Amino acid sequence: KAGVTQTPRYLIKTRGQQVTLSCSPISGHRSVSWYQQTPGQGLQFLFEYFSETQRNKGNFPGRFSGRQFSNSRSEMNVSTLELGDSALYLCASSLVGTGVETQYFGPGTRLTVL
Amino acid sequence: AQKVTQAQTEISVVEKEDVTLDCVYETRDTTYYLFWYKQPPSGELVFLIRRNSFDEQNEISGRYSWNFQKSTSSFNFTITASQVVDSAVYFCALSEAGRRALTFGSGTRLQVQP
C-alpha cells in the first residue's frame, strides 16, 4: 500500500506570496492532519480534516488554511508569507472509526520563504 | 493542557551500547494515547509504537522496548545493542481520545557512533 504522499517536496517563495501544499493520504484513510516543524518551535499541530470538514485546529493565525476533497486528499494554503513560515510541513493520515488513531506521516514539504 | 517533555536533547553512544530515551507527559484526561516516532535525516516521521492509557504492559519489539508507567507519567524507550542505523531524532507524542491532534515533545537526537 502506498504511503502518504506530499507535493511539492521543496518550495521557495518570497515574503507576501501565497503557497498551496498538497497531501494524498494512504488509501482508505479518511483523516488528514497537518503539522509544522521548525527548529525553534518544534512540531506543532496545524489542523485536521475528516469528511471534508475541519475537525480540530491548532494555534495558528488565519493565514493558514486548509481543505479536504471528497477523495480525502487535502491541501493547505498559507497566504501573505512571512519569513517565520519557513518550515517543514508534514501531513499525516489515519483511519477513522477503528478506535486506533495512529497517524502515518508523509515525507513533508520544505518551504523556504525569502 | 497537554505537555510532553523530552529532557534529553542529544545522546551519543557507541554501537552496541544500550540507550534509553526518556519521555514525561502531562494530561488531565483519563483516556489518552502515547506514541513514539523516529525521524531520520530524510525528514519523514516513522511510527514506532502506540500505547493507550489503559494498557501499562511493557512491550518489546526486537531491539526496541518501551516502559509505560502511569504512576510517574513516563513512557520511556530503550534501544538494546544500538546500531548506526538507529541514528535519528526520536519524538514522543500524546493525543487525547477522540482528538487526532498530536502534542509532540521536543525530540531527542540519537547519534550512534561506529
Side-chain angles (χ1 to χ4, degrees), chain A residues 31 33 35 37 43 45 48 56 94 99-103 105-106, chain B residues 33 35 37 39 42-45 47 50 91 99-102 104:
Chain A
S31 168
S33 297
Y35 294 81
Q37 185 176 25
L43 276 157
F45 171 75
E48 182 230 348
N56 294 292
S94 62
V100 175
E101 305 292 352
T102 298
Q103 293 186 35
F105 285 80
Chain B
Y33 295 89
F35 302 81
Y37 286 88
Q39 187 175 44
S42 60
E44 182 172 348
L45 282 169
F47 166 72
R50 181 195 72 251
F91 290 94
R99 255 179 71 89
R100 285 177 285 276
L102 291 169
F104 284 90

Side-chain angles (χ1 to χ4, degrees), chain A residues 40-53:
Chain A
Q41 299 299 316
L43 276 157
Q44 293 185 288
F45 171 75
L46 278 156
F47 31 63
E48 182 230 348
Y49 285 86
F50 165 56
S51 288
E52 302 176 62
T53 302

Side-chain angles (χ1 to χ4, degrees), chain B residues 2 59 73 86 89:
Chain B
Q2 302 177 102
E59 182 159 338
S73 296
D86 295 327
V89 181

Side-chain angles (χ1 to χ4, degrees), chain B residues 62-106:
Chain B
R63 296 184 298 108
Y64 295 171
S65 62
W66 291 269
N67 183 354
F68 175 29
Q69 291 195 339
K70 284 180 75 171
S71 60
T72 56
S73 296
S74 65
F75 186 42
N76 297 335
F77 173 30
T78 297
I79 301 175
T80 303
S82 59
Q83 300 176 1
V84 173
V85 293
D86 295 327
S87 296
V89 181
Y90 290 85
F91 290 94
C92 181
L94 169 72
S95 73
E96 299 168 344
R99 255 179 71 89
R100 285 177 285 276
L102 291 169
T103 298
F104 284 90
S106 55

Side-chain angles (χ1 to χ4, degrees), chain A residues 80-102:
Chain A
T80 320
L81 284 166
E82 300 176 0
L83 294 179
D85 297 333
S86 294
L88 179 66
Y89 289 89
L90 292 161
C91 167
S93 73
S94 62
L95 286 168
V96 176
T98 64
V100 175
E101 305 292 352
T102 298

